[in-house]
């Protein structure tokens, strides 16, 4: 499979960023500066359920196989 990290479906960090984005949007108080943003992201990352991260890792084989079945062995740039 060519360059799986460039496919948002196959890049696990994209799913983590999505989860963090949803948690940030749900907060009552939003950061006022970059230092607060950094601190809140660290806090929210620590609060992500470990089971969600574990399931994300376990799903990689299935998602790679599904992507290969649809696209063949090549992921377009």
């Amino acid at each position: 499979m060519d360059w799986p990290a460039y496919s948002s479906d196959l890049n696990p960090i994209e799913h983590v960023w999505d989860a963090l984005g949803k948690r940030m949007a749900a907060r009552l108080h939003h950061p006022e500066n970059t230092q607060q943003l950094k601190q809140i992201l660290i806090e929210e990352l620590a609060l992500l359920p470990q089971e969600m991260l574990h399931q994300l890792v376990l799903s990689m084989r299935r998602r790679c196989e599904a992507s290969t079945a649809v696209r063949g062995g090549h992921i377009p740039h």
Side-chain angles (χ1 to χ4, degrees):
M1 181 180 302
D2 294 337
W3 303 105
Y6 291 106
S7 171
S8 59
D9 293 338
L10 300 179
N11 189 339
I13 195 66
E14 294 296 331
H15 296 276
V16 174
W17 278 119
D18 182 55
L20 281 173
K22 289 176 182 176
R23 292 182 70 94
M24 294 290 292
R27 290 182 70 98
L28 295 177
H29 302 287
H30 298 285
E32 296 178 12
N33 55 51
T34 55
Q35 183 59 34
Q36 286 181 359
L37 174 61
K38 180 180 176 181
Q39 185 59 41
I40 291 171
L41 284 170
I42 290 169
E43 291 170 8
E44 291 296 342
L45 183 59
L47 293 172
L48 284 177
Q50 289 298 304
E51 183 60 25
M52 181 202 79
L53 300 173
H54 182 70
Q55 289 302 319
L56 178 60
V57 170
L58 292 179
S59 71
M60 288 304 297
R61 177 185 291 272
R62 176 186 48 79
R63 286 189 281 127
C64 286
E65 289 171 350
S67 179
T68 301
V70 171
R71 298 180 183 149
H74 177 74
I75 297 174
H77 294 79

